[in-house]
Amino acid sequence: IKLNTSNKTHCTNALQTFYTENVLSQISTLINSYCGLIEGGSRCSSEQITYLFEHSQQTLQYILDLFDFYHNYCDQVQIILELFSLYAEHVLVYLNQNHTKAFYTYVLRLLEIFTKCNYGKKTREVNADEDFNAHIYTLLNCLNHLLAKDFIDFSNENSSNPEVNVGDVILYGLIICLPLIQSDNLLKIPSISLCYYKLVSSLCEQHSECLFRLLNQDQYSIFLSTIKSGLDNYDNEICKMCLETIQSLALYTIKQQKLNQTNEKSKYLEHFLDYLLQETVITTTTLSDLFDTLAGTIYTLICAYSNQFYQFLGQMKQYDENLSIIIDKLANDIGQKPDYNRKAKLSFTVKFESIFYQSYRIVAFNSNMAWRSSGVSHQELIENLYRNGLIKSQRIKEAMLRTDRGDFTDRTFDAYDDRPQPIGYAVTISAPHMHCFGLEILKDQLKPGAKVLDVGSGSGYLTACMARLVHPGGKAIGVDHIQELVDKSIVNIKKNNKDLFDEGIIEIHKSDGRQGYATEAPYDAIHVGAAAPDTPHELIRQLKVGGRLVSPVGSTFGQEMITYDKKADGSYEEKRHMGVMYVPLTDEKQQYASAGIRKDL
Ligand code: SAH
């Protein structure tokens, strides 16, 4: 093993021999035997192991040199990773502080070399994928073993102040693995995903602090997106680990809030609250085995983000009156400013199950939300909507492609989910598949040169798409009765579609949409983004002959999507499409009240 690779520049010939089959296989055999030695270590005494480690330090250094030297040789890389993983598994628990520190340093070096060799590597040899996956798996496994030292420590030492924080080492490894895992979609591989989620859930349980300290905003947001995809795609075991991860992070956030030490990143987690609530209350997923963990996680999030929770309740109450009774009861039990403690969490968990079943029964009838087109990028979302037949025409696809949903929400990791998401003021940006429906059903009217109206423009997403479709020569007018949303939507649209304002193709006004927008009437098309209680006569009046209006109509108990086509004699033809769930077209005061905002109007 004492191949001195640092002399490699001196004689190229000798260098060549290092790459011959014979030498390669000898190296493998040697390291393999060393692995055997380490495994055998599990049967030795603590003193023997310490002795072994003390006398292996030089060897470990050499092996790291070899790791660097043979970084393109999959088998050698794999066997060395395995060696370190075995070391972490069998030897680390016996090591004293100094030795532990030394070992962490070796692992850091190992990680360093590994990154250096794998970053930006686009082309790998045929079959290299499988090898590469094995590398990542072994590396994650090794990190898992490092963490175990926190629980099991057989070293004859009782110090509570370790100098090197294992959390830092793991985090360093995670920072290296995250982009690799992401770009190659490695979480689709069951063994890797299990290992990954195991690692992050125990990491967060013990070292949330490192995570906040060492990950920058982008890395943290990628990290949270892996947690979300764990919840979306996996079995109960992984879901449970993801929920526990969220819970640990929420607990950490609560601590930070008490110390007044929150920052930008503290907010990121809050999106999981309405995600989990929607998931349990609205979708048909049965998570029965996970109820306790789920309820505990939701409770912890509620304590961390109570404002967000009350906003969510405000929305749910608007959707359904029966649900609103249950929700009031829940809110009552929790209280305005819940303080996290185990007892309260337990009592919430008990109630949660019955609340869930009651609300589930109600919502299951009303909901037609099939969130099947979600993507991780805007492009992917639109492609999925197209593939699933929700976008039918090329023109609409192009208009939607140019209007990035990420510009219209402040979501950090699930902006491209096919679901409605809160935008404040007790309302949501509609689900992308509903945006598609609105555009497709109006597509004959949404032609260049047309004049169109979007009532309840909210985030501005749909108004921007409509404007894109009537460009050039046309005009799309959005109205919303909440000034703050009007202002925000203008900012949103300007991010990537400023030309629409510059060319006068789009306007957004604060106005009560129940009266339409008479100044610019009549319109070729009117889209209504909130549910009218009954036939919206005033809006139909503002249609041109041949124009079409589409609106959800009905009480909170049952809404239907209805189109009205204006005929030459001024009458209209009505067509019912499907049952939907929209926030109501309401008055300004009422909406502020639902959002828990006091405002003198
Ligand atoms: N298409 C929008 C939907 C937003 S939700 C989007 O995807 O972002 C419905 C919107 O209707 C909310 O923004 C709400 O403020 C607005 N709204 C409700 N009642 C209204 C009224 N009477 N006049 C104008 N806007 C109204």
Side-chain angles (χ1 to χ4, degrees):
I1 284 203
K2 286 192 189 178
L3 258 177
N4 192 346
T5 53
S6 61
N7 280 338
K8 59 191 167 196
T9 42
H10 294 317
C11 53
T12 357
N13 277 347
L15 199 61
Q16 288 306 325
T17 61
F18 292 153
Y19 295 126
T20 56
E21 285 282 319
N22 184 20
V23 174
L24 284 172
S25 97
Q26 282 193 44
I27 298 264
S28 293
T29 313
L30 269 170
I31 299 178
N32 241 328
S33 338
Y34 195 28
C35 287
L37 184 69
I38 303 304
E39 272 181 299
S42 60
R43 293 193 202 99
C44 298
S45 69
S46 151
E47 287 74 25
Q48 285 168 323
I49 297 235
T50 309
Y51 182 85
L52 171 75
F53 186 76
E54 268 168 3
H55 290 79
S56 314
Q57 302 219 32
Q58 189 65 56
T59 314
L60 284 174
Q61 305 265 19
Y62 287 138
I63 291 180
L64 284 170
D65 286 343
L66 286 177
F67 190 62
D68 198 357
F69 190 75
Y70 287 115
H71 66 258
N72 271 328
Y73 289 76
C74 285
D75 292 348
Q76 279 63 34
V77 167
Q78 179 61 25
I79 186 94
I80 294 175
L81 287 171
E82 271 167 27
L83 174 73
F84 275 85
S85 181
L86 283 169
Y87 239 103
E89 184 178 359
H90 297 296
V91 175
L92 183 64
V93 286
Y94 295 103
L95 299 186
N96 66 22
Q97 228 182 83
N98 274 340
H99 288 161
T100 302
K101 189 175 163 185
F103 185 69
Y104 287 162
T105 325
Y106 298 144
V107 176
L108 280 178
R109 176 88 191 107
L110 184 84
L111 290 168
E112 239 167 53
I113 300 169
F114 189 77
T115 343
K116 192 179 78 189
C117 306
N118 286 291
Y119 251 113
K121 213 186 230 182
K122 289 255 155 47
T123 45
R124 294 199 202 98
E125 305 155 40
V126 200
N127 292 334
D129 267 356
E130 237 164 72
D131 292 325
F132 178 70
N133 296 346
H135 296 166
I136 292 281
Y137 172 77
T138 315
L139 201 60
L140 288 172
N141 224 350
C142 176
L143 297 179
N144 264 318
H145 293 313
L146 287 194
L147 260 189
K149 168 96 175 169
D150 275 14
F151 293 114
I152 316 164
D153 191 340
F154 295 145
S155 68
N156 300 324
E157 196 177 36
N158 41 11
S159 153
S160 54
N161 181 24
E163 269 177 68
V164 190
N165 184 347
V166 61
D168 288 6
V169 183
I170 312 275
L171 246 295
Y172 185 67
L174 203 62
I175 290 172
I176 292 167
C177 291
L178 264 179
L180 299 171
I181 285 178
Q182 260 253 323
S183 64
D184 285 20
N185 230 335
L186 294 188
L187 293 178
K188 291 227 156 73
I189 301 164
S191 56
I192 293 192
S193 71
L194 194 65
C195 210
Y196 173 80
Y197 289 114
K198 216 159 105 186
L199 179 70
V200 298
S201 62
S202 21
L203 178 72
C204 289
E205 192 187 339
Q206 303 162 65
H207 304 283
S208 294
E209 175 270 329
C210 301
L211 206 90
F212 271 82
R213 180 163 45 83
L214 295 175
L215 293 187
N216 66 29
Q217 292 191 17
D218 285 346
Q219 290 163 335
Y220 187 57
S221 143
I222 294 180
F223 171 75
L224 290 183
S225 67
T226 64
I227 301 303
K228 180 178 160 283
S229 71
L231 290 172
D232 281 347
N233 306 322
Y234 294 102
D235 54 19
N236 282 358
E237 189 182 5
I238 286 181
C239 271
K240 187 157 185 269
M241 292 191 276
C242 290
L243 288 170
E244 284 163 353
T245 306
I246 298 169
Q247 200 170 149
S248 308
L249 292 174
L251 261 177
Y252 180 75
T253 308
I254 294 173
K255 271 190 217 137
Q256 293 299 94
Q257 286 168 348
K258 288 203 169 128
L259 299 170
N260 266 334
Q261 283 178 353
T262 51
N263 58 26
E264 248 327 278
K265 279 183 271 174
S266 324
K267 281 205 308 239
Y268 286 17
L269 199 65
E270 119 185 347
H271 298 156
F272 276 112
L273 181 56
D274 63 75
Y275 171 81
L276 290 178
L277 286 167
Q278 277 193 35
E279 200 64 28
T280 33
V281 180
I282 297 175
T283 68
T284 51
T285 334
T286 30
L287 290 159
S288 48
D289 303 5
L290 292 176
F291 256 133
D292 286 359
T293 320
L294 178 68
T297 307
I298 289 183
Y299 185 75
T300 317
L301 284 167
I302 290 174
C303 294
Y305 307 104
S306 51
N307 286 345
Q308 171 92 2
F309 177 59
Y310 284 98
Q311 284 235 6
F312 179 84
L313 296 190
Q315 278 160 38
M316 290 308 291
K317 282 165 79 164
Q318 297 197 59
Y319 282 136
D320 190 296
E321 284 163 22
N322 278 355
L323 205 58
S324 110
I325 300 169
I326 300 169
I327 281 169
D328 277 339
K329 225 168 70 191
L330 177 69
N332 235 339
D333 287 345
I334 294 175
Q336 266 302 333
K337 244 298 89 319
D339 191 26
Y340 178 87
N341 64 63
R342 274 176 192 284
K343 204 171 144 215
K345 182 166 107 176
L346 207 69
S347 109
F348 176 83
T349 309
V350 175
K351 281 174 206 141
F352 185 74
E353 191 157 352
S354 73
I355 288 166
F356 173 80
Y357 277 121
Q358 290 180 55
S359 54
Y360 171 72
R361 275 212 328 270
I362 295 166
V363 179
F365 292 109
N366 288 347
S367 137
N368 73 330
M369 303 184 189
W371 296 315
R372 270 171 299 135
S373 301
S374 302
V376 294
S377 65
H378 187 62
Q379 169 106 23
E380 194 180 304
L381 167 68
I382 302 300
E383 289 301 337
N384 289 344
L385 290 163
Y386 189 68
R387 196 167 17 116
N388 293 335
L390 293 146
I391 300 176
K392 296 178 179 70
S393 39
Q394 201 57 37
R395 282 176 61 236
I396 289 179
K397 186 176 174 192
E398 275 157 26
M400 289 187 78
L401 271 174
R402 288 189 67 171
T403 320
D404 190 320
R405 188 174 159 91
D407 291 347
F408 294 81
T409 65
D410 55 4
R411 313 294 288 188
T412 42
F413 54 84
D414 58 356
Y416 306 109
D417 267 14
D418 190 11
R419 64 170 75 228
Q421 285 159 337
I423 51 174
Y425 309 92
V427 295
T428 52
I429 177 174
S430 306
H433 68 264
M434 289 317 296
H435 285 153
C436 298
F437 177 81
L439 294 171
E440 283 291 345
I441 202 97
L442 296 173
K443 79 166 185 298
D444 291 343
Q445 282 75 23
L446 293 168
K447 290 272 162 69
K451 193 186 261 187
V452 298
L453 178 68
D454 184 20
V455 174
S457 46
S459 66
Y461 188 87
L462 203 72
T463 324
C465 292
M466 290 167 83
R468 193 54 72 195
L469 287 160
V470 300
H471 180 280
K475 194 177 206 179
I477 293 146
V479 294
D480 205 288
H481 63 170
I482 303 292
Q483 184 65 52
E484 290 88 338
L485 288 174
V486 170
D487 297 341
K488 183 112 186 262
S489 65
I490 294 173
V491 173
N492 293 342
I493 298 167
K494 285 191 174 164
K495 288 180 198 161
N496 276 304
N497 289 283
K498 192 166 163 296
D499 60 311
L500 294 174
F501 279 104
D502 296 343
E503 293 178 38
I505 307 278
I506 201 167
E507 281 174 18
I508 313 271
H509 300 285
K510 181 200 177 287
S511 165
D512 185 342
R514 290 173 293 191
Q515 308 311 319
Y517 194 70
T519 331
E520 297 272 355
Y523 300 99
D524 294 280
I526 301 180
H527 173 273
V528 187
D534 40 46
T535 312
H537 291 291
E538 180 50 34
L539 294 174
I540 297 172
R541 224 177 50 75
Q542 294 183 17
L543 274 181
K544 285 184 192 167
V545 169
R548 171 176 277 190
L549 181 153
V550 62
S551 175
V553 180
S555 73
T556 41
F557 282 109
Q559 300 168 1
E560 274 179 305
M561 207 49 145
I562 303 182
T563 48
Y564 303 90
D565 290 320
K566 184 88 161 245
K567 298 203 287 197
D569 63 1
S571 67
Y572 60 84
E573 199 178 300
E574 177 180 323
K575 192 169 167 208
R576 292 161 186 267
H577 296 269
M578 73 259 202
V580 288
M581 234 166 108
Y582 272 70
V583 297
L585 204 55
T586 173
D587 68 62
E588 200 183 345
K589 222 178 185 151
Q590 185 120 32
Q591 194 172 319
Y592 276 118
S594 299
I597 298 169
R598 238 181 283 147
K599 196 154 174 162
D600 295 323
L601 296 169

